[in-house]
Amino acid sequence: MIIVDNAAVGPFKVNTWADHYSLLRTIEQNWNLGYLGNASDSEQVKTIAIPGEPK
């Protein structure tokens, strides 16, 4: 997965397993949107930790 972030200081690598639900949950969380479908399951779907981004 490639993530383009204009706030990043330089290239970085995240060693976290992620799937499309994780990506969807991360986008929804960062943009303060409601969670859709399985992305709302916080037990199984985790937000992708991106350096410099709020958690």
Side-chain angles (χ1 to χ4, degrees), residues 13-54:
K13 183 177 181 179
V14 177
N15 293 319
T16 303
W17 183 86
D19 61 7
H20 60 287
Y21 290 120
S22 300
L23 178 59
L24 178 60
R25 184 177 180 88
T26 301
I27 292 169
E28 292 166 342
Q29 184 175 18
N30 286 339
W31 290 353
N32 297 316
L33 302 172
Y35 296 120
L36 298 172
N38 290 339
S40 65
D41 184 359
S42 63
E43 291 292 318
Q44 296 182 27
V45 180
K46 302 300 178 196
T47 303
I48 302 169
I50 301 172
E53 294 291 321

